[in-house]
Amino acid sequence: MKLDMLVLSAHPDDAELACSGTILRHIEMGKKVGLVDLTRGQLGTRGTPEIRDKEAEAASNILGLAARENLAFEDGFFTEDKEHLIAIVKAIRKYQPEIIITNALHDRHPDHGRASDLVSRASFLSGLIKIETGQKAWRARNVYHYIQDRYIKPDLIVDVTPYWEQKIKTIKAFQSQFFNPGSEEPGTYISSPEFLLFIEARALEFGHSIGVKYGEGFTSERNIGITNMFDLL
């Protein structure tokens, strides 16, 4: 299946937190969007990999993804070696996306920056014909990095105001991870009610900076070109 946009994320729920509004907007525009999670979140304090698999499926249904899969890398310990790079190259060549979105360049969780580097390198390698995987070589036109816990100045911001309530539903599909007053599992940084307020505050900040209510920010690996200045907000 050829996709227009492929999101590759270190953990199930990374994309829902950071760029699900952007995903929803582009799906409504008729674009095919898929998601590849690198790990099953095996080291998460709350829940289990099996529970998170089911939660990811529920979130995918809300988003309306064309495809979602999990590469089952070892959470916390995957490295930038040939084995992991080739696995991502195969995923990119499988879906042939025009745009790739991945983790923040650096962040509170070390997996995020490591996944960011891994996907960036694999995106380049995927275009080299002498790397043989039994697939056609493919290089996406652009690679963007969403912004997560640590603030990074965005290169572009997507207006996600019309999709905010649906974005929150995708996040809350991961019931084991986020605020749930009925849960008896240990409290974590992301399970407090304040964490979801932080997510909203960040979106309000980004939205305010472009004159809308809610925004999602991204950094770009190259300069951003346009053909029509009137397309800008």
Side-chain angles (χ1 to χ4, degrees):
M1 178 188 299
K2 176 170 170 35
L3 299 177
D4 298 298
M5 179 183 289
L6 179 63
V7 184
L8 295 115
S9 298
H11 309 110
D13 74 26
D14 283 354
E16 282 78 6
L17 285 167
C19 70
S20 55
T22 299
I23 292 171
L24 288 162
R25 175 175 282 283
H26 285 83
I27 289 174
E28 188 173 88
M29 291 166 57
K31 303 298 185 183
K32 289 184 178 180
V33 183
L35 209 164
V36 173
D37 299 306
L38 303 190
T39 78
R40 298 172 69 204
Q42 300 94 314
L43 295 182
T45 301
R46 295 159 65 99
T48 65
E50 293 74 21
I51 288 172
R52 295 185 77 170
D53 289 345
K54 293 178 181 178
E55 291 171 341
E57 182 178 359
S60 299
N61 290 335
I62 296 169
L63 287 166
L65 296 175
R68 187 170 193 160
E69 63 179 277
N70 195 302
L71 298 185
F73 291 175
E74 189 175 3
D75 190 15
F77 294 98
F78 64 85
T79 58
E80 193 174 332
D81 59 15
K82 183 175 181 179
E83 177 185 358
H84 290 91
L85 285 165
I86 292 298
I88 296 175
V89 166
K90 288 179 178 178
I92 293 170
R93 290 178 173 181
K94 175 180 179 179
Y95 293 113
Q96 300 183 348
E98 302 299 321
I99 290 174
I100 287 174
I101 297 176
T102 191
N103 287 91
L105 295 170
H106 53 82
D107 203 42
R108 172 180 176 269
H109 196 308
D111 277 2
H112 295 167
R114 191 160 58 250
S116 171
D117 292 341
L118 194 59
V119 172
S120 291
R121 187 174 170 192
S123 298
F124 181 82
L125 295 176
S126 179
L128 300 180
I129 62 174
K130 290 187 178 179
I131 295 179
E132 297 182 4
T133 62
Q135 301 162 295
K136 178 184 176 182
W138 184 269
R139 185 170 295 144
R141 290 164 49 195
N142 295 293
V143 178
Y144 299 109
H145 300 259
Y146 48 70
I147 295 166
Q148 298 182 261
D149 189 78
R150 297 293 184 253
Y151 180 85
I152 299 173
K153 187 178 187 302
D155 295 319
L156 66 93
I157 296 171
V158 177
D159 176 13
V160 299
T161 305
Y163 309 96
W164 185 255
E165 294 304 321
Q166 201 169 355
K167 173 187 172 83
I168 294 300
K169 288 180 182 177
T170 73
I171 295 172
K172 290 184 175 180
F174 291 88
Q175 297 179 32
S176 68
Q177 301 303 302
F178 302 109
F179 180 64
N180 179 357
S183 175
E184 297 181 357
E185 296 210 63
T188 66
Y189 173 71
I190 66 172
S191 71
S192 71
E194 291 77 20
F195 181 74
L196 291 180
L197 292 175
F198 161 73
I199 294 298
E200 182 171 16
R202 171 66 59 72
L204 286 166
E205 178 184 21
F206 284 158
H208 175 75
S209 71
I210 61 169
V212 302
K213 186 171 183 180
Y214 293 114
E216 291 177 341
F218 300 86
T219 57
S220 175
E221 293 195 357
R222 65 174 180 84
N223 289 335
I224 299 167
I226 61 170
T227 58
N228 183 351
M229 295 186 73
F230 289 93
D231 285 342
L232 300 175
L233 297 179

